[in-house]
Amino acid sequence: MTSVLIVLSAADSWTLKDGSKHPTGYWAEELVEPHRIFSAAGWGITIASPGGQKPTVDKASLGFFGGMPRKTRALAAYLAEHREEIDRPKSLADIEVLDFDAIFYPGGHGPMEDLSHDVESGRIISTAMSVSMPLALLCHAPAAAFAARNEDGTWPFAGYAMTGLSNAEEKFNRLAHKAPWLLEDRLIDEGAKYVKGPVPLAPYITVDRNLYTGQNPASAGKLARRIIADFAEPAMRISVQKKISASPEAVYGVISDVASIGDRSPEATGATWLRGRRRFIGHNRIGLLYRWSTLCTVTEDKPGTTFEFYASWPSMTTWRYELASVKGGTEVTETMTKAGAQYAPIRWTQNLVGVRDRGAHLRAGMQTTLDRLAAHFDAETSAGSRRQATLPSRDASASPDGVPAPKS
């Protein structure tokens, strides 16, 4: 099951530049819509907040500023239906980022108050960025990005295209002139490439590598659906088959040893297991200069039958090995499923290094992988035959240690 972590602010007020506090929290639509969409898609959802504190819904999001009465009544009803889950979040300090497939931050003014400097939230975001895990920040939630830092102290989002509530949209709020800072201004100051839609308050999202951002509450549903689409809609599927002269159990033993993948694949150079051996970092290359790494998650692991893993950004692919016992060995089917269309900058880089047809390149590489896998077992068989041939022959008159028995 695909799993998503939803991080909510625990703030119930927003400190203005004059020192006064204005009631706030998370914005109802920005939690309800993603939660509903992820649930409908069958995703597992975990909610967390600083210290595991009970989050507060911004009452304004259930009133006039939240939309028409029919809409806000539906939002309130959904929150009431899921109150036990929402009111008992996990603590951010207890979150292991690698236990999830994606992370989603709803907005409201709350993140500006606490998540913008929360150490544990910063750790979660920094880790997600370091392993290229899909990370979504909605409306005011990009404020949480300010707490994140790389190991060298730099900001992980420098140079990334990001959106968030614009200055123009913030000014619909009568307290905008009292805000300690405006999100658009600070994103630009920190080094992000801020972008926004042409019409204020209309849905607008942008995606840059593994970072998904939405401009305003109206973007909540669109942002969640884009993440699901990138996981669920295959843009390319390639399968190759080969008979291997070995048992399914023996073949599985080699395939599931991802650390040795560089011995077989012409593109993957190796892999490093992470804690728990459910995830690993795969290292890849094309030519001398184009190299990249990606976070991979084992999604199915049945010894002698199936081994499957998902490679996150930039690959966004699922790799599956199915093993079937046949006369004389095992028929291995390797299948690659590409979740979504390749991003333009990556296509440009691949063209630059000579890969103009990614599908044909992958098919050839997969065939080479299975050919090398077959050669591995052929070599083992040959070596075993040679060892057998060098053993002393025995006959009925031989003693147990191979020395002929004395004749009487």
Side-chain angles (χ1 to χ4, degrees):
M1 175 187 291
T2 306
S3 59
V4 59
L5 172 69
I6 295 180
V7 178
L8 289 176
S9 164
D12 58 11
S13 63
W14 178 31
T15 304
L16 304 176
K17 62 183 178 183
D18 62 4
S20 62
K21 293 183 178 293
H22 179 71
T24 190
Y26 66 87
W27 201 257
E29 182 178 5
E30 297 181 34
L31 171 60
V32 169
E33 278 300 288
H35 191 284
R36 178 181 63 80
I37 291 168
F38 289 134
S39 295
W43 286 29
I45 299 173
T46 298
I47 296 176
S49 70
Q53 298 178 66
K54 176 182 174 180
T56 300
V57 62
D58 191 322
K59 292 182 179 180
S61 66
L62 296 173
F64 174 78
F65 290 103
M68 300 296 289
R70 181 177 179 180
K71 175 181 175 180
T72 55
R73 285 196 298 269
L75 293 173
Y78 191 94
L79 292 176
E81 180 184 354
H82 297 274
R83 178 171 292 119
E84 184 174 351
E85 176 188 1
I86 297 169
D87 288 355
R88 297 181 178 180
K90 293 187 68 172
S91 172
L92 296 183
D94 295 332
I95 294 298
E96 292 288 349
V97 176
L98 298 181
D99 289 342
F100 300 92
D101 298 297
I103 300 175
F104 195 103
Y105 277 68
H109 284 111
M112 300 178 74
E113 181 73 11
D114 60 357
L115 298 181
S116 62
H117 54 82
D118 186 274
V119 173
E120 292 298 337
S121 177
R123 171 186 64 84
I124 289 169
I125 290 176
S126 298
T127 303
M129 294 300 290
S130 70
V131 297
S132 298
M133 179 180 293
L135 170 68
L137 307 172
L138 177 61
C139 195
H140 285 98
F146 301 136
R149 285 293 181 269
N150 294 320
E151 291 184 359
D152 60 2
T154 58
W155 194 47
F157 301 93
Y160 275 72
M162 299 177 69
T163 191
L165 200 75
S166 67
N167 288 352
E169 290 168 319
E170 189 70 82
K171 289 174 182 176
F172 284 102
N173 174 8
R174 61 185 177 82
L175 297 174
H177 68 287
K178 292 185 177 182
W181 42 269
L182 298 180
L183 181 62
E184 177 183 338
D185 291 341
R186 188 163 173 188
L187 287 173
I188 294 172
D189 290 343
E190 291 283 349
K193 295 179 180 177
Y194 180 81
V195 294
K196 60 183 177 182
V199 180
L201 304 181
Y204 180 79
I205 68 171
T206 188
V207 180
D208 188 347
R209 288 159 277 185
N210 65 307
L211 177 64
Y212 297 69
T213 49
Q215 184 173 328
N216 46 43
S219 306
K222 186 175 183 179
L223 188 63
R225 283 189 288 270
R226 172 59 189 271
I227 294 171
I228 291 174
D230 281 353
F231 269 85
E233 294 181 1
M236 182 190 304
R237 181 176 284 117
I238 299 171
S239 288
V240 296
Q241 289 182 320
K242 191 172 184 69
K243 180 181 173 181
I244 308 293
S245 299
S247 69
E249 292 74 20
V251 175
Y252 166 84
V254 174
I255 289 175
S256 62
D257 178 17
V258 298
S260 68
I261 195 170
D263 297 336
R264 303 180 296 278
S265 171
E267 186 169 295
T269 60
T272 305
W273 282 109
L274 301 176
R275 182 185 59 83
R277 295 181 71 84
R278 177 175 173 259
R279 299 194 175 198
F280 60 91
I281 301 295
H283 311 292
N284 309 273
R285 71 179 177 198
I286 298 176
L288 296 175
L289 300 178
Y290 184 31
R291 297 171 181 264
W292 73 98
S293 295
T294 188
L295 173 66
C296 301
T297 303
V298 176
T299 49
E300 191 169 345
D301 187 10
K302 297 179 179 178
T305 303
T306 310
F307 185 71
E308 179 187 274
F309 62 88
Y310 174 77
S312 62
W313 191 93
S315 300
M316 303 290 281
T317 53
T318 296
W319 295 83
R320 182 178 180 85
Y321 295 86
E322 296 175 301
L323 313 178
S325 180
V326 296
K327 185 177 180 180
T330 302
E331 183 176 75
V332 180
T333 302
E334 180 182 9
T335 302
M336 186 286 305
T337 302
K338 174 75 174 161
Q342 190 67 277
Y343 295 117
I346 299 175
R347 291 198 306 271
W348 180 86
T349 303
Q350 290 173 350
N351 286 335
L352 188 65
V353 297
V355 180
R356 304 191 185 282
D357 185 339
R358 180 61 172 159
H361 179 82
L362 285 170
R363 182 179 296 278
M366 292 162 67
Q367 192 63 63
T368 298
T369 298
L370 294 191
D371 289 345
R372 290 177 178 175
L373 181 65
H376 166 82
F377 285 104
D378 289 344
E380 281 197 346
T381 301
S382 297
S385 298
R386 288 194 298 271
R387 285 194 298 271
Q388 185 66 35
T390 60
L391 292 176
S393 61
R394 295 186 179 182
D395 55 33
S397 62
S399 65
D401 61 1
V403 178
K407 296 185 182 293
S408 56

